[in-house]
């Protein structure tokens, strides 16, 4: 039976994907221009004729609480065989732009609630957790050091929860830190948060290394 793999997250996952009401006239861009599309391109190219169904349910601006609110309509009803989640950076963005607070305990609580509901409704399906990340950039309100201080507890929570729930974990902060030896931060993440093409490819490659076997 063909697998359904669903990607759930914020703008980094969204990557300008066409929403459901737009797909009828342009299905080519339903996965967006980011790492989800790159993962799909590699998998479908290497497995001609395969019927793996890849779904992008990223929405720009989302926080963990937003994922929980739309979990049923955007995830559960799709009955995916694999779910990939990336969330966390907007918790910091909202704090730094005076529209919210970073509460690591609440973030972790909500993340666990998401996973608990997935397991309750869909069973013990494979879940991939992608670590939130950032790199130095003058566009980061309040400065990079402040972002790191606020983001690190969320990164640690993601890692702990991945281990606790036996999820695959994609350590993207480590991956991007290594890539700084090859090119400056702006080459990978144009504003310290959002990837350019090379950055999205970095996520796709790291995802495939950690979880590519789940596609088949």
């Amino acid at each position: 039976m063909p697998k359904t793999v669903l990607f759930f997250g914020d703008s980094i996952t969204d990557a300008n994907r066409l929403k459901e009401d737009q797909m009828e006239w342009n299905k080519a861009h339903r996965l967006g221009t980011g790492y989800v599309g790159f993962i799909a391109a590699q998998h479908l190219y290497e497995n001609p004729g395969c019927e793996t169904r890849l779904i992008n349910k990223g929405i720009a601006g989302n926080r963990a609480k937003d994922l929980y609110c739309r979990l049923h309509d955007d995830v559960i009803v799709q009955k995916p065989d694999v779910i990939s989640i990336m969330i966390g950076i907007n918790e910091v963005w909202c704090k730094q732009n005076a529209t919210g607070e970073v509460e690591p305990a609440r973030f972790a609580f909500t993340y666990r609630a998401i996973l608990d509901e997935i397991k309750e409704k869909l069973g013990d399906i494979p879940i991939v957790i992608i670590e939130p990340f950032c790199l130095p950039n003058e566009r980061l309100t309040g400065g990079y050091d402040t972002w790191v201080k606020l983001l690190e507890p969320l990164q640690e929570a993601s890692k702990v929860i991945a281990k606790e729930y036996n999820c695959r974990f994609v350590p993207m902060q480590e991956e991007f830190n290594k890539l700084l030896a090859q090119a400056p931060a702006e080459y990978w993440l144009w504003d310290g948060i959002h990837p350019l093409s090379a950055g999205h490819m970095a996520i796709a490659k790291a995802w495939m290394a950690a979880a590519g076997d789940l596609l088949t």
Side-chain angles (χ1 to χ4, degrees):
M1 179 177 295
K3 277 192 174 180
T4 295
V5 182
L6 189 145
F7 295 83
F8 199 34
D10 53 32
S11 60
I12 299 170
T13 299
D14 184 327
N16 297 311
R17 70 178 176 91
L18 293 185
K19 306 308 186 280
E20 283 69 15
D21 61 344
Q22 301 170 306
M23 286 187 192
E24 188 60 34
W25 57 269
N26 196 341
K27 293 182 179 180
H29 298 293
R30 63 188 175 83
L31 295 178
T33 59
Y35 76 92
V36 178
F38 291 173
I39 290 169
Q42 179 178 336
H43 176 66
L44 297 173
Y45 175 79
E46 293 177 352
N47 299 276
C50 84
E51 297 181 0
T52 305
R53 180 179 176 226
L54 294 104
I55 300 172
N56 186 339
K57 288 294 183 179
I59 293 182
N62 270 197
R63 289 180 273 175
K65 66 178 185 178
D66 301 304
L67 296 197
Y68 183 76
C69 287
R70 61 187 181 91
L71 180 61
H72 179 269
D73 290 347
D74 281 0
V75 179
I76 303 301
V77 298
Q78 300 287 344
K79 298 182 178 179
D81 302 291
V82 180
I83 297 174
S84 178
I85 303 173
M86 184 199 296
I87 201 68
I89 196 62
N90 283 320
E91 274 76 359
V92 180
W93 188 93
C94 287
K95 166 65 175 177
Q96 292 303 88
N97 290 275
T99 59
E101 292 293 327
V102 178
E103 300 180 37
R106 185 177 296 276
F107 173 79
F109 177 85
T110 307
Y111 219 137
R112 288 187 174 94
I114 291 169
L115 299 186
D116 286 339
E117 187 160 343
I118 289 171
K119 289 183 177 298
E120 177 186 348
K121 299 293 176 59
L122 299 174
D124 193 26
I125 66 171
I127 298 171
V128 183
I129 289 179
I130 306 175
E131 181 183 33
F133 50 82
C134 68
L135 287 177
N137 193 288
E138 63 183 12
R139 296 179 178 87
L140 296 176
T141 305
Y144 177 65
D145 290 344
T146 301
W147 278 71
V148 169
K149 183 177 179 179
L150 294 170
L151 184 59
E152 280 181 343
L154 309 187
Q155 293 174 326
E156 181 62 21
S158 300
K159 186 181 300 183
V160 168
I161 290 169
K163 184 175 182 180
E164 182 180 329
Y165 284 79
N166 194 31
C167 303
R168 304 287 181 93
F169 184 70
V170 185
M172 282 315 306
Q173 187 65 59
E174 178 183 349
E175 292 293 328
F176 278 121
N177 288 345
K178 290 178 181 177
L179 290 171
L180 292 178
Q182 301 180 37
E186 293 82 359
Y187 183 83
W188 310 104
L189 311 178
W190 72 269
D191 59 354
I193 301 169
H194 296 94
L196 292 170
S197 294
H200 274 293
M201 181 59 77
I203 300 171
K205 288 176 68 66
W207 195 97
M208 291 295 282
D213 60 300
L214 299 177
L215 294 173
T216 57

